[in-house]
mmCIF file of all heavy atoms in Angstrom:
data_model
loop_
_atom_site.group_PDB
_atom_site.id
_atom_site.type_symbol
_atom_site.label_atom_id
_atom_site.label_comp_id
_atom_site.label_asym_id
_atom_site.label_seq_id
_atom_site.Cartn_x
_atom_site.Cartn_y
_atom_site.Cartn_z
ATOM 1 N N LYS C 43 10.735 -1.871 -14.463
ATOM 2 C CA LYS C 43 11.191 -2.520 -15.696
ATOM 3 C C LYS C 43 10.013 -2.806 -16.623
ATOM 4 O O LYS C 43 10.088 -2.576 -17.841
ATOM 5 C CB LYS C 43 11.905 -3.829 -15.345
ATOM 6 C CG LYS C 43 12.616 -4.467 -16.529
ATOM 7 C CD LYS C 43 13.383 -5.707 -16.080
ATOM 8 C CE LYS C 43 14.073 -6.359 -17.280
ATOM 9 N NZ LYS C 43 14.800 -7.574 -16.863
ATOM 10 N N LYS C 69 1.204 10.304 -41.059
ATOM 11 C CA LYS C 69 1.862 10.675 -39.790
ATOM 12 C C LYS C 69 2.059 9.446 -38.906
ATOM 13 O O LYS C 69 3.120 9.249 -38.307
ATOM 14 C CB LYS C 69 0.994 11.710 -39.066
ATOM 15 C CG LYS C 69 1.583 12.230 -37.761
ATOM 16 C CD LYS C 69 0.586 13.111 -37.052
ATOM 17 C CE LYS C 69 0.397 14.438 -37.764
ATOM 18 N NZ LYS C 69 1.565 15.316 -37.608
ATOM 19 N N GLU C 78 2.804 -0.523 -38.839
ATOM 20 C CA GLU C 78 1.616 -1.018 -39.536
ATOM 21 C C GLU C 78 1.773 -2.502 -39.889
ATOM 22 O O GLU C 78 2.842 -2.930 -40.327
ATOM 23 C CB GLU C 78 1.378 -0.218 -40.818
ATOM 24 C CG GLU C 78 0.058 -0.553 -41.482
ATOM 25 C CD GLU C 78 -0.212 0.334 -42.681
ATOM 26 O OE1 GLU C 78 0.752 0.959 -43.184
ATOM 27 O OE2 GLU C 78 -1.375 0.417 -43.100
ATOM 28 N N ASP C 85 -15.038 -6.912 -40.283
ATOM 29 C CA ASP C 85 -16.083 -6.307 -39.450
ATOM 30 C C ASP C 85 -15.573 -6.177 -38.007
ATOM 31 O O ASP C 85 -14.413 -6.502 -37.716
ATOM 32 C CB ASP C 85 -17.360 -7.156 -39.498
ATOM 33 C CG ASP C 85 -17.090 -8.614 -39.171
ATOM 34 O OD1 ASP C 85 -16.040 -8.892 -38.545
ATOM 35 O OD2 ASP C 85 -17.886 -9.480 -39.567
ATOM 36 N N ALA C 92 -8.920 -10.341 -33.692
ATOM 37 C CA ALA C 92 -7.500 -10.128 -34.031
ATOM 38 C C ALA C 92 -6.735 -9.559 -32.838
ATOM 39 O O ALA C 92 -5.590 -9.940 -32.578
ATOM 40 C CB ALA C 92 -7.400 -9.176 -35.224
ATOM 41 N N THR C 114 -18.505 19.458 -42.193
ATOM 42 C CA THR C 114 -19.590 20.297 -41.663
ATOM 43 C C THR C 114 -20.122 19.777 -40.332
ATOM 44 O O THR C 114 -20.897 20.459 -39.671
ATOM 45 C CB THR C 114 -20.742 20.365 -42.681
ATOM 46 O OG1 THR C 114 -21.171 19.027 -42.982
ATOM 47 C CG2 THR C 114 -20.298 21.066 -43.954
ATOM 48 N N GLN C 148 -7.641 22.014 -36.359
ATOM 49 C CA GLN C 148 -8.183 23.262 -35.820
ATOM 50 C C GLN C 148 -7.366 24.458 -36.303
ATOM 51 O O GLN C 148 -7.924 25.478 -36.710
ATOM 52 C CB GLN C 148 -8.170 23.205 -34.288
ATOM 53 C CG GLN C 148 -9.175 22.240 -33.701
ATOM 54 C CD GLN C 148 -9.013 22.080 -32.192
ATOM 55 O OE1 GLN C 148 -7.956 22.372 -31.649
ATOM 56 N NE2 GLN C 148 -10.067 21.621 -31.538
ATOM 57 N N GLY C 156 -9.051 33.314 -41.378
ATOM 58 C CA GLY C 156 -8.366 34.595 -41.256
ATOM 59 C C GLY C 156 -8.022 35.009 -39.837
ATOM 60 O O GLY C 156 -7.760 36.190 -39.592
ATOM 61 N N ASN C 178 2.450 21.416 1.756
ATOM 62 C CA ASN C 178 3.894 21.288 1.602
ATOM 63 C C ASN C 178 4.247 19.848 1.244
ATOM 64 O O ASN C 178 3.384 18.975 1.166
ATOM 65 C CB ASN C 178 4.615 21.739 2.881
ATOM 66 C CG ASN C 178 4.116 20.980 4.098
ATOM 67 O OD1 ASN C 178 3.744 19.812 3.984
ATOM 68 N ND2 ASN C 178 4.087 21.623 5.249
ATOM 69 N N GLY C 202 4.815 -9.898 15.442
ATOM 70 C CA GLY C 202 5.895 -9.938 16.430
ATOM 71 C C GLY C 202 5.454 -10.545 17.748
ATOM 72 O O GLY C 202 6.274 -11.105 18.475
ATOM 73 N N LYS C 237 5.037 -13.124 31.386
ATOM 74 C CA LYS C 237 4.926 -13.625 30.014
ATOM 75 C C LYS C 237 4.345 -12.538 29.101
ATOM 76 O O LYS C 237 4.810 -12.337 27.970
ATOM 77 C CB LYS C 237 4.018 -14.859 29.983
ATOM 78 C CG LYS C 237 4.649 -16.114 30.553
ATOM 79 C CD LYS C 237 3.650 -17.259 30.560
ATOM 80 C CE LYS C 237 4.298 -18.536 31.123
ATOM 81 N NZ LYS C 237 5.285 -19.101 30.205
ATOM 82 N N SER C 255 14.175 0.652 10.181
ATOM 83 C CA SER C 255 14.491 0.108 8.858
ATOM 84 C C SER C 255 13.922 0.989 7.754
ATOM 85 O O SER C 255 14.599 1.272 6.761
ATOM 86 C CB SER C 255 13.921 -1.312 8.742
ATOM 87 O OG SER C 255 14.070 -1.799 7.439
ATOM 88 N N MET C 346 -12.142 7.304 18.871
ATOM 89 C CA MET C 346 -12.612 6.395 19.922
ATOM 90 C C MET C 346 -12.572 4.932 19.483
ATOM 91 O O MET C 346 -12.864 4.038 20.279
ATOM 92 C CB MET C 346 -14.050 6.755 20.324
ATOM 93 C CG MET C 346 -14.220 8.182 20.845
ATOM 94 S SD MET C 346 -13.318 8.461 22.371
ATOM 95 C CE MET C 346 -14.272 7.463 23.497
ATOM 96 N N LYS C 357 -0.973 8.391 10.319
ATOM 97 C CA LYS C 357 -1.052 9.073 9.018
ATOM 98 C C LYS C 357 -0.985 10.597 9.203
ATOM 99 O O LYS C 357 -0.263 11.291 8.480
ATOM 100 C CB LYS C 357 -2.357 8.671 8.323
ATOM 101 C CG LYS C 357 -2.540 9.282 6.949
ATOM 102 C CD LYS C 357 -3.862 8.820 6.346
ATOM 103 C CE LYS C 357 -4.129 9.501 5.018
ATOM 104 N NZ LYS C 357 -5.424 9.074 4.454
ATOM 105 N N VAL C 378 -8.081 1.456 27.609
ATOM 106 C CA VAL C 378 -9.159 0.691 28.261
ATOM 107 C C VAL C 378 -9.229 -0.723 27.681
ATOM 108 O O VAL C 378 -9.327 -1.716 28.423
ATOM 109 C CB VAL C 378 -10.508 1.426 28.084
ATOM 110 C CG1 VAL C 378 -11.670 0.508 28.444
ATOM 111 C CG2 VAL C 378 -10.535 2.683 28.934
ATOM 112 N N ASN C 392 -5.718 -18.205 35.461
ATOM 113 C CA ASN C 392 -6.032 -18.745 36.798
ATOM 114 C C ASN C 392 -7.071 -19.850 36.747
ATOM 115 O O ASN C 392 -7.393 -20.436 37.788
ATOM 116 C CB ASN C 392 -6.498 -17.622 37.717
ATOM 117 C CG ASN C 392 -5.325 -16.807 38.252
ATOM 118 O OD1 ASN C 392 -4.515 -17.295 39.030
ATOM 119 N ND2 ASN C 392 -5.218 -15.576 37.794
#
Side-chain angles (χ1 to χ4, degrees):
K43 189 176 179 181
K69 182 187 289 288
E78 188 175 18
D85 52 20
T114 56
Q148 290 173 339
N178 55 32
K237 286 176 179 289
S255 173
M346 301 296 290
K357 182 180 175 181
V378 166
N392 281 293

